[in-house]
């Protein structure tokens, strides 16, 4: 056995790009660490990276024996049954009081179950969302740990050093109890779905609505990334719209199939919101459009049956419409973040996570996929009012939304008139117009439900529920 001072401070199971990059990040900050994988090739590759600070293993016993106590083991493996299988294997070689961190995109319901089970067995468990992709893992991700707070305090020194830094603050913080970390990461991914869908719809309008060339569209995203729309997703879109393979005369983008994949976190966000009776339509439609993209054969047949009715014609000049489109994007982007934050507020009430929404906005400002200039406004809004129920009610957001309403109305109406699909933009506008309605037409729905199913209704200014024999009044 090695002396404690020579043992590794951190262990990683799963040596894909994310796991390997995180280990290198940890080693860069002065910690010895170990990695385990069933793939001998991945372990061999790891052992070549930094032999003085990183050790790779294919034997689970040797891997855990190399760790100092309490042993800290992080899992970066595919969500689902594989996580449970690895945890079962770990329990054979870990001691009570050791710490297991699930750093994958696990469903928060599974994290709740695992937390309770491991707590009963005497182990510490942290469910931690990690965002930032491969580059984030290597240079500084945003991390959302939840679960065992005492265990978090033990790993906090390492996590704060390897996280991205914004204005001197690390983009990691304890999110809350039980599955809070994975719930927050799930909502992060839902917002990510929404913004990606909005960007794709913007591209569609610029390309097929305003008939712009890729170079001009690239310039627009480049300009937007220098203003209030600055974000990681706008930035990478700018780069994609200029990327050509060596020797090619056209963009790689033109060769990519229009069938979007997903790993389920967007769907989980929609399901969680529906369970909580909370609307997040811009996220819902983003999930639905990814699903629709997979039905290429049906879409191809329908395109022949329902061709465009005529030449697309936008009323404004291109530069005027681009200005309106920038307003529309800002409006819809704000709506995406607002709906996600509202879901976190509601989940906090239902699940008693003890979330701090200002802290969530703070650690999303850097390292993660949805980092953006607007997150500074979100952080400021929740710093000003920790009990803010909805982002639309913040004074600064309110004023900026008012200025952007003409843009979103123009973008949605002109796209509809020209047969260009902008469902996420339309969802953002529809949500807003209903949100600002003191009286929605839901009274008619209640009357209908009572008519066909005797489901009863409530009356204005009266207590109790009521039922009417509607047919008798014909």
């Amino acid at each position: 056995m090695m002396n404690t001072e020579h043992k590794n401070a951190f262990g990683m199971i799963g040596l894909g790009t994310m796991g390997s990059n995180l280990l290198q990040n940890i080693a860069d900050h002065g910690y010895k660490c170990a990695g385990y994988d069933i793939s001998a090739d991945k372990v061999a590759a790891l052992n070549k990276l930094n032999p003085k600070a990183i050790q790779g293993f294919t034997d689970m016993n040797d891997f855990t024996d190399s760790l100092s106590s309490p042993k800290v083991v992080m899992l970066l493996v595919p969500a689902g049954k594989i996580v449970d299988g690895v945890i079962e294997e770990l329990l054979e070689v870990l001691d009570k009081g050791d710490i297991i961190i699930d750093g994958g995109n696990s469903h928060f319901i599974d994290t709740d179950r695992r937390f309770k089970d491991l707590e009963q067995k005497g182990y510490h468990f942290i469910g931690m969302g990690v965002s930032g992709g491969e580059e984030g893992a290597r240079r500084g991700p945003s991390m959302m740990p939840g679960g065992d707070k005492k265990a978090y305090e033990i790993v906090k020194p390492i996590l704060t050093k390897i996280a991205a830094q914004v204005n001197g603050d690390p983009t990691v913080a304890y999110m809350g109890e039980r599955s809070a970390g994975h719930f927050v990461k799930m909502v992060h991914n839902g917002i990510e779905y929404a913004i990606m869908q909005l960007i794709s719809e913007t591209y569609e309008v610029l390309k097929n609505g305003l008939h712009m060339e890729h170079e001009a569209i690239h310039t627009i995203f480049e300009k937007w990334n220098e203003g209030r729309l600055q974000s990681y997703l706008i930035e990478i879109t700018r780069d994609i719209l200029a990327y050509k393979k060596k020797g090619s005369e056209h963009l790689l983008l033109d060769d990519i199939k229009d069938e979007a994949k997903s790993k389920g976190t967007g769907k989980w966000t929609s399901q969680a919101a529906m369970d909580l009776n909370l609307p997040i339509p811009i996220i819902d439609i983003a999930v639905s459009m990814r699903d629709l993209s997979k039905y290429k054969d049906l879409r191809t047949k329908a395109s022949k049956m329902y061709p465009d009715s005529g030449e697309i014609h936008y009323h404004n000049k291109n530069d005027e419409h681009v200005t309106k489109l920038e307003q529309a994007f800002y409006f819809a982007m704000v709506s995406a973040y607002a709906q996600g934050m509202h879901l976190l507020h509601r989940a906090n009430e239902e699940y008693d996570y003890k979330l701090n929404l200002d802290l969530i906005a703070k650690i999303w400002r850097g390292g993660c996929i949805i980092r953006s200039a607007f997150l500074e406004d979100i952080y400021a809004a929740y710093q000003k009012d920790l009990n803010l129920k909805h982002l639309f009610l913040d004074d600064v957001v309110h004023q900026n939304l008012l200025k952007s309403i003409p843009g979103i109305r123009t973008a949605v109406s002109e796209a509809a008139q020209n047969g260009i699909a902008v469902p996420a933009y339309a969802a953002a506008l529809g949500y807003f117009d209903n949100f600002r309605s003191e009286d929605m037409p839901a009274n008619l729905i209640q009357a209908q439900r009572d008519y066909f199913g005797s489901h009863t209704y409530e009356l204005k200014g009266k207590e109790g529920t009521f039922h009417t024999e509607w047919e008798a009044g014909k």
Side-chain angles (χ1 to χ4, degrees):
M1 296 289 290
M2 296 164 25
N3 293 329
T4 301
E5 61 267 23
H6 297 301
K7 289 198 168 189
N8 297 307
F10 197 96
M12 178 74 67
I13 294 180
L15 300 180
T17 306
M18 286 288 289
S20 175
N21 281 357
L22 271 174
L23 285 177
Q24 292 177 75
N25 189 351
I26 292 168
D28 286 346
H29 287 86
Y31 294 96
K32 292 189 64 180
C33 47
Y36 167 87
D37 203 288
I38 58 174
S39 167
D41 290 341
K42 289 181 180 179
V43 171
L46 182 75
N47 279 325
K48 294 177 182 177
L49 295 174
N50 187 347
K52 292 183 178 180
I54 305 174
Q55 291 180 288
F57 298 89
T58 54
D59 183 275
M60 183 68 81
N61 282 290
D62 291 343
F63 165 69
T64 54
D65 281 347
S66 78
L67 301 174
S68 59
S69 293
K71 297 173 182 177
V72 178
V73 179
M74 180 171 172
L75 281 59
L76 270 177
V77 299
K81 293 182 179 179
I82 293 177
V83 175
D84 290 317
V86 173
I87 289 175
E88 284 184 22
E89 191 175 355
L90 272 175
L91 295 187
E92 297 294 323
V93 291
L94 292 182
D95 299 316
K96 290 185 178 181
D98 288 340
I99 300 167
I100 299 173
I101 304 171
D102 177 10
N105 274 331
S106 288
H107 197 187
F108 75 97
I109 294 174
D110 290 335
T111 302
D112 267 330
R113 169 178 55 79
R114 291 169 186 144
F115 176 82
K116 292 174 185 174
D117 180 59
L118 289 169
E119 185 179 48
Q120 290 173 356
K121 292 176 179 176
Y123 299 89
H124 301 290
F125 184 65
I126 295 172
M128 183 170 74
V130 180
S131 180
E134 298 173 9
E135 182 65 18
R138 184 69 184 88
R139 304 298 174 191
S142 176
M143 292 172 286
M144 296 147 257
D148 194 312
K149 191 169 186 180
K150 290 182 179 178
Y152 171 69
E153 293 299 327
I154 293 173
V155 300
K156 181 179 177 181
I158 295 177
L159 298 183
T160 52
K161 285 185 178 179
I162 67 171
Q165 306 289 318
V166 177
N167 301 327
D169 296 322
T171 57
V172 62
Y174 178 74
M175 294 287 94
E177 299 183 357
R178 305 178 312 280
S179 61
H182 276 141
F183 194 97
V184 171
K185 177 55 163 53
M186 178 191 72
V187 174
H188 165 286
N189 285 19
I191 296 170
E192 177 186 307
Y193 271 62
I195 296 175
M196 290 172 72
Q197 177 66 27
L198 285 169
I199 292 174
S200 72
E201 292 176 15
T202 305
Y203 167 67
E204 174 84 346
V205 169
L206 294 171
K207 180 185 177 186
N208 295 324
L210 302 182
H211 303 292
M212 288 187 173
E213 298 295 330
H214 281 133
E215 186 175 344
I217 301 174
H218 163 80
T219 300
I220 288 169
F221 279 97
E222 185 173 48
K223 183 179 178 182
W224 284 3
N225 197 52
E226 295 169 355
R228 64 176 179 172
L229 301 187
Q230 187 281 321
S231 70
Y232 174 74
L233 287 170
I234 291 288
E235 178 186 319
I236 67 170
T237 303
R238 173 203 66 192
D239 295 345
I240 290 167
L241 285 162
Y243 184 86
K244 297 177 182 178
K245 281 187 173 181
K246 190 174 182 180
S248 175
E249 294 298 318
H250 66 275
L251 295 186
L252 173 60
L253 179 63
D254 287 337
D255 294 333
I256 298 175
K257 291 176 67 176
D258 62 324
E259 298 179 47
K261 301 292 193 297
S262 60
K263 291 187 175 180
T265 48
K267 176 185 70 176
W268 292 344
T269 311
S270 290
Q271 289 173 333
M274 289 180 185
D275 288 341
L276 293 170
N277 298 316
L278 184 131
I280 51 168
I282 196 168
I283 296 173
D284 296 340
I285 201 67
V287 175
S288 293
M289 290 304 102
R290 285 203 195 185
D291 289 340
L292 182 58
S293 76
K294 297 165 189 170
Y295 291 88
K296 179 72 171 180
D297 290 344
L298 291 178
R299 291 189 290 112
T300 300
K301 290 177 182 177
S303 70
K304 307 294 191 298
M305 295 174 64
Y306 305 100
D308 292 331
S309 56
E311 184 178 349
I312 293 176
H313 178 70
Y314 272 71
H315 300 301
N316 297 321
K317 294 180 181 178
N318 279 9
D319 56 348
E320 294 174 355
H321 199 85
V322 169
T323 298
K324 293 287 188 183
L325 197 55
E326 190 273 348
Q327 293 178 1
F329 188 90
Y330 177 83
F331 185 101
M333 175 192 70
V334 171
S335 186
Y337 281 107
Q339 291 174 35
M341 298 305 285
H342 193 203
L343 175 55
L344 289 172
H345 182 277
R346 179 71 188 92
N348 204 30
E349 293 176 332
E350 183 70 20
Y351 303 134
D352 193 27
Y353 280 142
K354 297 180 173 58
L355 299 175
N356 291 310
L357 298 194
D358 64 321
L359 196 58
I360 294 169
K362 182 179 181 180
I363 68 166
W364 281 354
R365 295 178 305 161
C368 72
I369 302 301
I370 64 169
R371 61 186 183 266
S372 68
F374 179 62
L375 271 160
E376 293 289 353
D377 291 346
I378 300 177
Y379 178 46
Y382 287 105
Q383 280 263 291
K384 185 168 55 181
D385 182 2
L386 291 175
N387 297 313
L388 182 66
K389 291 187 176 181
H390 198 287
L391 206 53
F392 283 1
L393 304 181
D394 175 70
D395 291 340
V396 173
V397 172
H398 166 232
Q399 292 302 319
N400 288 331
L401 281 181
L402 287 177
K403 295 173 186 175
S404 302
I405 290 173
I408 188 77
R409 295 204 186 284
T410 298
V412 172
S413 61
E414 292 206 344
Q417 289 169 6
N418 285 287
I420 294 178
V422 288
Y425 276 110
L429 181 57
Y431 174 83
F432 170 77
D433 280 334
N434 274 295
F435 186 86
R436 69 183 184 88
S437 297
E438 184 176 356
D439 293 310
M440 287 175 61
N443 56 333
L444 178 57
I445 295 172
Q446 281 300 85
Q448 291 170 330
R449 293 179 72 249
D450 188 58
Y451 191 117
F452 66 69
S454 300
H455 293 299
T456 73
Y457 53 84
E458 295 170 301
L459 289 172
K460 297 175 183 178
K462 289 188 178 182
E463 294 292 328
T465 57
F466 301 85
H467 167 62
T468 292
E469 295 295 336
W470 296 89
E471 294 188 19
K474 287 181 180 179

